[in-house]
């Protein structure tokens, strides 16, 4: 699979966002689901930043950098446009 961007823990392939494997379980977020708000975000925040903040194995700074990049790379694959204020609030909320 072609990787568009990556850091030590996360990668942006052509179809979403994924944790780089290191022998641990694979963690993949489909591009279509990047702007989910119906779960933990309760409509006010994006779900994925809040969800990942609950995981003790996630480097939140690394996740944030690649999540933001994935929104640019995958524009058009998810519904609507991302709201920068909501995105910032989602990461501030963590």
């Amino acid at each position: 699979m072609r990787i568009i961007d990556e850091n030590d823990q996360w990668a942006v392939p052509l179809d979403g966002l994924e944790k780089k494997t290191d022998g641990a379980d694979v963690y993949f977020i489909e591009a279509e689901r990047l702007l989910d708000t119906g779960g933990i975000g309760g409509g006010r925040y994006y779900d994925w930043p809040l969800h990942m903040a609950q995981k003790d194995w996630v480097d939140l700074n690394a996740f944030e950098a690649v999540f933001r990049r994935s929104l640019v790379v995958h524009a058009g694959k998810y519904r609507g446009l991302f709201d920068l204020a909501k995105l910032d609030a989602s990461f501030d909320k963590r």
Side-chain angles (χ1 to χ4, degrees):
M1 167 109 359
R2 184 168 164 233
I3 301 297
I4 308 292
D5 198 1
E6 66 183 320
N7 59 30
D8 289 343
Q9 191 175 42
W10 297 92
V12 181
L14 292 173
D15 56 349
L17 171 66
E18 67 184 4
K19 178 184 176 289
K20 293 169 71 173
T21 57
D22 57 2
D25 292 333
V26 174
Y27 207 100
F28 180 76
I29 303 168
E30 298 89 359
E32 298 82 21
R33 296 196 56 215
L34 290 170
L35 296 185
D36 283 359
T37 59
I40 192 171
R44 290 186 60 204
Y45 306 102
Y46 293 118
D47 291 343
W48 292 112
L50 302 180
H51 180 75
M52 291 301 170
Q54 296 178 335
K55 310 283 184 202
D56 61 0
W57 54 266
V58 173
D59 175 337
L60 291 173
N61 291 325
F63 178 75
E64 180 175 0
V66 171
F67 186 82
R68 288 177 182 273
R69 177 72 172 128
S70 72
L71 292 174
V72 173
V73 168
H74 297 306
K77 294 179 185 172
Y78 48 82
R79 290 186 203 185
L81 301 173
F82 69 89
D83 178 325
L84 185 57
K86 183 184 279 191
L87 181 63
D88 290 341
S90 300
F91 280 105
D92 289 344
K93 177 79 173 158
R94 62 182 185 176

